[in-house]
Amino acid sequence: MNRAHQMQHLSVAYNNTSLMKQQLVREITCLERQLERLRIRDELLDLSTLQTYEEMISSRREMLDNLPWDD
C-alpha cells in the first residue's frame, strides 16, 4: 500500500466516528454499572476508586461530546 493510499484510508477511518461513538457509549455504560455495583458493596469502594471511576466516565463523556455528530 503506497503512502497516498494509506493516508486516504486513514482519512476515511478518521472521519467515520460512528464506531468510536458506539465504543465510548459501551465503555461509559460498563463503567457506570461497575461503579453502581461498587457503591452497593460499600466496603469495596474507597475514595480513590470512586474518583478514578468518575474521572474515567467523565473523560469518555467529554470525548463523546467532542466528536462530530454529522456522519
Side-chain angles (χ1 to χ4, degrees):
M1 187 181 307
N2 66 27
R3 181 82 174 144
H5 190 257
Q6 288 175 336
M7 293 304 291
Q8 181 182 20
H9 182 71
L10 180 62
S11 176
V12 170
Y14 180 77
N15 289 331
N16 182 2
T17 59
S18 63
L19 293 176
M20 186 180 295
K21 290 176 200 173
Q22 291 172 13
Q23 179 64 31
L24 286 168
V25 169
R26 280 193 300 270
E27 289 179 17
I28 291 166
T29 302
C30 183
L31 288 167
E32 288 174 335
R33 287 178 181 162
Q34 290 175 17
L35 181 56
E36 189 58 35
R37 283 193 297 271
L38 288 172
R39 284 185 169 142
I40 291 169
R41 299 192 61 196
D42 192 42
E43 73 275 5
L44 298 176
L45 186 62
D46 59 28
L47 183 58
S48 176
T49 303
L50 176 66
Q51 288 176 334
T52 300
Y53 271 91
E54 289 176 345
E55 288 173 7
M56 289 189 300
I57 292 167
S58 176
S59 68
R60 283 161 178 78
R61 280 188 179 141
E62 185 177 340
M63 282 189 281
L64 185 60
D65 290 343
N66 287 321
L67 287 173
W69 285 95
D70 297 324
D71 282 335

